[in-house]
Short mmCIF file of all heavy atoms in Angstrom, two decimals:
data_model
loop_
_atom_site.label_atom_id
_atom_site.label_comp_id
_atom_site.label_asym_id
_atom_site.label_seq_id
_atom_site.Cartn_x
_atom_site.Cartn_y
_atom_site.Cartn_z
N ASP A 14 0.78 -1.22 -0.01
CA ASP A 14 -0.01 -0.01 0.01
C ASP A 14 0.84 1.30 0.01
O ASP A 14 0.28 2.35 -0.28
CB ASP A 14 -0.93 0.02 1.22
CG ASP A 14 -2.15 -0.85 1.03
OD1 ASP A 14 -1.96 -2.03 0.63
OD2 ASP A 14 -3.28 -0.41 1.28
N LEU A 15 2.14 1.20 0.33
CA LEU A 15 2.93 2.42 0.44
C LEU A 15 4.11 2.44 -0.57
O LEU A 15 4.27 3.39 -1.33
CB LEU A 15 3.39 2.64 1.84
CG LEU A 15 4.05 3.99 2.18
CD1 LEU A 15 3.03 5.11 1.97
CD2 LEU A 15 4.57 4.01 3.63
N PHE A 16 4.87 1.33 -0.59
CA PHE A 16 6.10 1.35 -1.41
C PHE A 16 5.98 0.54 -2.68
O PHE A 16 6.89 0.57 -3.51
CB PHE A 16 7.27 0.80 -0.54
CG PHE A 16 7.55 1.65 0.65
CD1 PHE A 16 7.38 1.16 1.93
CD2 PHE A 16 8.06 2.93 0.50
CE1 PHE A 16 7.61 1.94 3.04
CE2 PHE A 16 8.32 3.74 1.63
CZ PHE A 16 8.12 3.24 2.91
N GLU A 17 4.87 -0.14 -2.84
CA GLU A 17 4.55 -0.81 -4.12
C GLU A 17 5.67 -1.73 -4.63
O GLU A 17 6.08 -1.67 -5.80
CB GLU A 17 4.18 0.21 -5.19
CG GLU A 17 2.96 1.07 -4.79
CD GLU A 17 2.71 2.17 -5.79
OE1 GLU A 17 3.63 2.62 -6.48
OE2 GLU A 17 1.49 2.54 -5.90
N GLY A 18 6.21 -2.56 -3.73
CA GLY A 18 7.21 -3.54 -4.14
C GLY A 18 8.58 -2.96 -4.37
O GLY A 18 9.46 -3.68 -4.87
N ALA A 19 8.87 -1.73 -4.00
CA ALA A 19 10.16 -1.14 -4.26
C ALA A 19 11.26 -1.77 -3.43
O ALA A 19 11.06 -2.19 -2.29
CB ALA A 19 10.09 0.39 -3.97
N THR A 20 12.47 -1.80 -3.99
CA THR A 20 13.66 -2.33 -3.30
C THR A 20 14.67 -1.19 -3.23
O THR A 20 14.46 -0.08 -3.74
CB THR A 20 14.29 -3.51 -4.05
OG1 THR A 20 14.75 -3.07 -5.35
CG2 THR A 20 13.24 -4.60 -4.27
N PHE A 21 15.79 -1.44 -2.61
CA PHE A 21 16.82 -0.42 -2.48
C PHE A 21 17.40 -0.01 -3.84
O PHE A 21 17.95 1.07 -3.99
CB PHE A 21 17.91 -0.87 -1.52
CG PHE A 21 17.57 -0.61 -0.04
CD1 PHE A 21 16.77 -1.46 0.62
CD2 PHE A 21 18.03 0.55 0.57
CE1 PHE A 21 16.41 -1.19 1.98
CE2 PHE A 21 17.69 0.83 1.87
CZ PHE A 21 16.89 -0.04 2.58
N ALA A 22 17.29 -0.90 -4.77
CA ALA A 22 17.74 -0.54 -6.12
C ALA A 22 16.96 0.64 -6.69
O ALA A 22 17.48 1.43 -7.46
CB ALA A 22 17.66 -1.72 -7.05
N ASP A 23 15.70 0.75 -6.26
CA ASP A 23 14.85 1.83 -6.77
C ASP A 23 15.20 3.20 -6.15
O ASP A 23 14.67 4.23 -6.58
CB ASP A 23 13.38 1.50 -6.47
CG ASP A 23 12.90 0.24 -7.21
OD1 ASP A 23 13.10 0.21 -8.45
OD2 ASP A 23 12.39 -0.67 -6.59
N LEU A 24 16.02 3.18 -5.11
CA LEU A 24 16.47 4.47 -4.54
C LEU A 24 17.59 5.11 -5.28
O LEU A 24 17.97 6.25 -5.01
CB LEU A 24 16.89 4.27 -3.09
CG LEU A 24 15.82 3.84 -2.06
CD1 LEU A 24 16.46 3.70 -0.69
CD2 LEU A 24 14.68 4.87 -2.00
N GLN A 25 18.16 4.40 -6.28
CA GLN A 25 19.31 4.94 -6.99
C GLN A 25 18.96 5.86 -8.11
O GLN A 25 19.45 5.67 -9.27
CB GLN A 25 20.18 3.71 -7.48
CG GLN A 25 20.55 2.71 -6.39
CD GLN A 25 21.28 3.37 -5.26
OE1 GLN A 25 22.24 4.12 -5.44
NE2 GLN A 25 20.89 3.11 -3.99
N ARG A 26 18.11 6.80 -7.85
CA ARG A 26 17.79 7.79 -8.88
C ARG A 26 18.95 8.84 -8.94
O ARG A 26 19.50 9.19 -7.89
CB ARG A 26 16.49 8.53 -8.55
CG ARG A 26 15.29 7.61 -8.55
CD ARG A 26 13.99 8.38 -8.24
NE ARG A 26 13.99 8.99 -6.95
CZ ARG A 26 14.15 10.28 -6.67
NH1 ARG A 26 14.36 11.14 -7.69
NH2 ARG A 26 14.09 10.74 -5.45
N PRO A 27 19.28 9.37 -10.11
CA PRO A 27 20.39 10.36 -10.21
C PRO A 27 20.24 11.58 -9.32
O PRO A 27 21.20 12.09 -8.79
CB PRO A 27 20.37 10.75 -11.69
CG PRO A 27 19.74 9.56 -12.37
CD PRO A 27 18.72 9.04 -11.39
N ASP A 28 18.97 12.06 -9.13
CA ASP A 28 18.80 13.25 -8.36
C ASP A 28 18.36 12.99 -6.92
O ASP A 28 17.97 13.89 -6.20
CB ASP A 28 17.74 14.14 -9.04
CG ASP A 28 16.38 13.44 -9.20
OD1 ASP A 28 16.37 12.20 -9.15
OD2 ASP A 28 15.38 14.12 -9.37
N ALA A 29 18.40 11.72 -6.50
CA ALA A 29 17.95 11.35 -5.15
C ALA A 29 19.06 11.47 -4.12
O ALA A 29 20.20 11.19 -4.44
CB ALA A 29 17.34 9.94 -5.16
N PRO A 30 18.72 11.82 -2.90
CA PRO A 30 19.73 11.79 -1.85
C PRO A 30 19.98 10.35 -1.44
O PRO A 30 19.18 9.46 -1.75
CB PRO A 30 19.08 12.57 -0.71
CG PRO A 30 17.63 12.36 -0.92
CD PRO A 30 17.44 12.29 -2.41
N GLN A 31 21.09 10.12 -0.78
CA GLN A 31 21.32 8.80 -0.18
C GLN A 31 20.42 8.68 1.03
O GLN A 31 20.39 9.59 1.88
CB GLN A 31 22.75 8.60 0.22
CG GLN A 31 23.04 7.24 0.85
CD GLN A 31 24.44 7.07 1.34
OE1 GLN A 31 25.30 7.92 1.08
NE2 GLN A 31 24.74 5.95 1.99
N VAL A 32 19.68 7.65 1.17
CA VAL A 32 18.79 7.38 2.30
C VAL A 32 19.39 6.29 3.14
O VAL A 32 19.59 5.18 2.66
CB VAL A 32 17.39 7.03 1.88
CG1 VAL A 32 16.50 6.69 3.08
CG2 VAL A 32 16.76 8.20 1.06
N VAL A 33 19.66 6.59 4.42
CA VAL A 33 20.20 5.60 5.37
C VAL A 33 19.15 5.32 6.41
O VAL A 33 18.83 6.15 7.26
CB VAL A 33 21.46 6.15 6.06
CG1 VAL A 33 22.03 5.06 7.01
CG2 VAL A 33 22.52 6.56 5.06
N ILE A 34 18.51 4.14 6.27
CA ILE A 34 17.49 3.73 7.23
C ILE A 34 18.19 2.93 8.33
O ILE A 34 18.93 1.97 8.05
CB ILE A 34 16.44 2.87 6.53
CG1 ILE A 34 15.72 3.75 5.48
CG2 ILE A 34 15.46 2.29 7.54
CD1 ILE A 34 14.75 2.94 4.64
N ASN A 35 17.95 3.29 9.58
CA ASN A 35 18.65 2.66 10.69
C ASN A 35 17.73 1.83 11.58
O ASN A 35 16.64 2.27 11.96
CB ASN A 35 19.31 3.75 11.57
CG ASN A 35 20.37 4.55 10.80
OD1 ASN A 35 21.49 4.11 10.61
ND2 ASN A 35 19.97 5.76 10.34
N ALA A 36 18.17 0.64 11.89
CA ALA A 36 17.50 -0.24 12.84
C ALA A 36 18.48 -0.52 14.00
O ALA A 36 19.59 -0.03 14.01
CB ALA A 36 17.02 -1.50 12.20
N THR A 37 18.07 -1.33 14.95
CA THR A 37 18.91 -1.74 16.09
C THR A 37 19.03 -3.25 16.07
O THR A 37 18.02 -3.95 15.96
CB THR A 37 18.33 -1.29 17.40
OG1 THR A 37 18.23 0.14 17.43
CG2 THR A 37 19.19 -1.72 18.58
N ASP A 38 20.23 -3.74 16.14
CA ASP A 38 20.48 -5.18 16.23
C ASP A 38 20.16 -5.62 17.65
O ASP A 38 20.89 -5.26 18.63
CB ASP A 38 21.92 -5.49 15.87
CG ASP A 38 22.27 -6.98 15.93
OD1 ASP A 38 21.43 -7.76 16.35
OD2 ASP A 38 23.42 -7.32 15.55
N LEU A 39 19.13 -6.40 17.82
CA LEU A 39 18.67 -6.79 19.16
C LEU A 39 19.76 -7.64 19.86
O LEU A 39 19.83 -7.62 21.08
CB LEU A 39 17.39 -7.63 19.03
CG LEU A 39 16.64 -7.95 20.34
CD1 LEU A 39 16.23 -6.66 21.03
CD2 LEU A 39 15.42 -8.79 20.02
N GLY A 40 20.56 -8.33 19.12
CA GLY A 40 21.58 -9.18 19.72
C GLY A 40 22.76 -8.45 20.28
O GLY A 40 23.43 -8.96 21.21
N THR A 41 23.03 -7.23 19.78
CA THR A 41 24.16 -6.46 20.26
C THR A 41 23.80 -5.12 20.87
O THR A 41 24.60 -4.52 21.59
CB THR A 41 25.15 -6.20 19.10
OG1 THR A 41 24.50 -5.36 18.15
CG2 THR A 41 25.61 -7.48 18.48
N GLY A 42 22.58 -4.64 20.54
CA GLY A 42 22.17 -3.29 20.97
C GLY A 42 22.77 -2.20 20.14
O GLY A 42 22.52 -1.03 20.39
N GLY A 43 23.50 -2.57 19.09
CA GLY A 43 24.16 -1.61 18.20
C GLY A 43 23.25 -1.18 17.06
O GLY A 43 22.32 -1.88 16.66
N ARG A 44 23.61 -0.02 16.48
CA ARG A 44 22.89 0.47 15.31
C ARG A 44 23.22 -0.34 14.08
O ARG A 44 24.39 -0.67 13.85
CB ARG A 44 23.29 1.98 15.05
CG ARG A 44 22.56 2.64 13.91
CD ARG A 44 23.03 4.09 13.80
NE ARG A 44 24.42 4.11 13.38
CZ ARG A 44 24.87 4.19 12.15
NH1 ARG A 44 23.99 4.20 11.14
NH2 ARG A 44 26.15 4.27 11.90
N PHE A 45 22.20 -0.69 13.28
CA PHE A 45 22.44 -1.40 12.05
C PHE A 45 21.85 -0.57 10.89
O PHE A 45 20.64 -0.45 10.79
CB PHE A 45 21.82 -2.79 12.05
CG PHE A 45 22.13 -3.54 10.78
CD1 PHE A 45 23.28 -4.31 10.66
CD2 PHE A 45 21.26 -3.53 9.68
CE1 PHE A 45 23.59 -5.00 9.49
CE2 PHE A 45 21.56 -4.20 8.52
CZ PHE A 45 22.69 -4.94 8.43
N PRO A 46 22.71 0.01 10.05
CA PRO A 46 22.21 0.81 8.92
C PRO A 46 21.98 -0.04 7.68
O PRO A 46 22.76 -0.95 7.38
CB PRO A 46 23.36 1.82 8.69
CG PRO A 46 24.56 1.07 9.05
CD PRO A 46 24.18 0.09 10.17
N PHE A 47 20.94 0.26 6.96
CA PHE A 47 20.65 -0.44 5.71
C PHE A 47 21.44 0.29 4.60
O PHE A 47 20.90 1.11 3.84
CB PHE A 47 19.18 -0.44 5.36
CG PHE A 47 18.40 -1.46 6.22
CD1 PHE A 47 18.00 -1.15 7.45
CD2 PHE A 47 18.12 -2.73 5.70
CE1 PHE A 47 17.30 -2.07 8.28
CE2 PHE A 47 17.44 -3.67 6.46
CZ PHE A 47 17.01 -3.32 7.75
N ILE A 48 22.74 -0.02 4.55
CA ILE A 48 23.62 0.52 3.54
C ILE A 48 24.43 -0.61 2.93
O ILE A 48 24.54 -1.69 3.53
CB ILE A 48 24.56 1.65 4.09
CG1 ILE A 48 25.42 1.04 5.23
CG2 ILE A 48 23.78 2.83 4.56
CD1 ILE A 48 26.44 2.03 5.75
N GLN A 49 25.03 -0.36 1.78
CA GLN A 49 25.76 -1.43 1.10
C GLN A 49 26.91 -1.96 1.94
O GLN A 49 27.17 -3.18 1.99
CB GLN A 49 26.30 -0.91 -0.22
CG GLN A 49 26.85 -2.02 -1.13
CD GLN A 49 25.76 -3.02 -1.49
OE1 GLN A 49 24.79 -2.67 -2.13
NE2 GLN A 49 25.94 -4.28 -1.09
N GLY A 50 27.64 -1.06 2.67
CA GLY A 50 28.73 -1.51 3.46
C GLY A 50 28.39 -2.51 4.50
O GLY A 50 29.06 -3.50 4.75
N ALA A 51 27.25 -2.31 5.19
CA ALA A 51 26.75 -3.19 6.21
C ALA A 51 26.33 -4.55 5.61
O ALA A 51 26.60 -5.59 6.15
CB ALA A 51 25.64 -2.60 6.98
N PHE A 52 25.67 -4.49 4.49
CA PHE A 52 25.21 -5.73 3.80
C PHE A 52 26.42 -6.49 3.24
O PHE A 52 26.34 -7.74 3.13
CB PHE A 52 24.22 -5.41 2.72
CG PHE A 52 22.78 -5.43 3.18
CD1 PHE A 52 22.37 -4.59 4.22
CD2 PHE A 52 21.87 -6.34 2.64
CE1 PHE A 52 21.05 -4.63 4.68
CE2 PHE A 52 20.57 -6.39 3.10
CZ PHE A 52 20.13 -5.54 4.15
#
């Protein structure tokens, strides 16, 4: 209903900012960013 099947590949528009979505790793309590380096 909101993102219509979009993946992170769809964020790679030439005029788009980089979007860093952050979660928390429950096992460590540390921040986990959804970025290529972390993946």
Side-chain angles (χ1 to χ4, degrees):
D14 283 48
L15 191 62
F16 298 113
E17 299 175 333
T20 66
F21 276 82
D23 296 307
L24 293 180
Q25 306 303 311
R26 297 182 296 106
D28 59 339
Q31 179 185 353
V32 175
V33 181
I34 297 173
N35 298 281
T37 299
D38 180 354
L39 190 60
T41 64
R44 182 180 65 92
F45 183 86
F47 284 83
I48 59 175
Q49 191 62 61
F52 268 59

